[in-house]
Amino acid sequence: QVQLVEFGGGLVQPGGSLRLSCAASGSILSVNSMGWYRQAPGKERELVAIISSGVGTNYAHSVKGRFTISSDNAKNTLYLQMNSLKPEDTAVYYCYVGYRGNAYWGQGTQVTVSS
């Protein structure tokens, strides 16, 4: 069982930055994959960035070059650094972990990009 809690959402102006954090209840050393998804109002949940064991890192085309996913295994924490934010990045952001065939999700954190 893995429990995930996100931190760091909020309101930011276009062009600004935010860093999301996702604290895991257990070790993230042996997970198969971990990443961030987002869901905007009226839209389906979509992949933002993911780290897959043995594969590497993948980003959605819309965030490539602006967002950076990273992890601190010692702190069991996943991060998403978001720079040059745009209004279309507004969404609820969810932390995700894939472990032993199961998918685990955080409760989500709201990111709003608006002037």
Side-chain angles (χ1 to χ4, degrees):
Q1 187 77 12
V2 178
Q3 292 183 325
L4 306 170
V5 180
E6 298 103 335
F7 302 93
L11 173 65
V12 63
Q13 292 187 342
S17 297
L18 279 176
R19 188 175 81 155
L20 304 183
S21 301
C22 172
S25 60
S27 172
I28 59 174
L29 274 176
S30 58
V31 301
N32 302 109
S33 58
M34 50 188 175
W36 294 92
Y37 285 71
R38 68 186 181 187
Q39 188 167 18
K43 295 187 177 181
E44 293 187 353
R45 191 173 297 190
E46 63 175 1
L47 172 70
V48 177
I50 194 164
I51 301 172
S52 299
S53 177
V55 176
T57 301
N58 192 36
Y59 293 91
H61 179 74
S62 60
V63 308
K64 199 171 292 185
R66 299 188 297 123
F67 291 11
T68 302
I69 187 173
S70 62
S71 65
D72 186 332
N73 294 337
K75 296 182 179 179
N76 294 327
T77 302
L78 183 68
Y79 302 99
L80 184 68
Q81 178 66 43
M82 305 185 293
N83 299 327
S84 302
L85 282 160
K86 304 176 181 180
E88 51 263 43
D89 294 318
T90 295
V92 177
Y93 284 70
Y94 296 91
C95 178
Y96 160 87
V97 164
Y99 179 59
R100 293 186 176 180
N102 296 312
Y104 299 92
W105 297 92
Q107 82 285 357
T109 185
Q110 177 70 47
V111 172
T112 302
V113 185
S114 175
S115 55

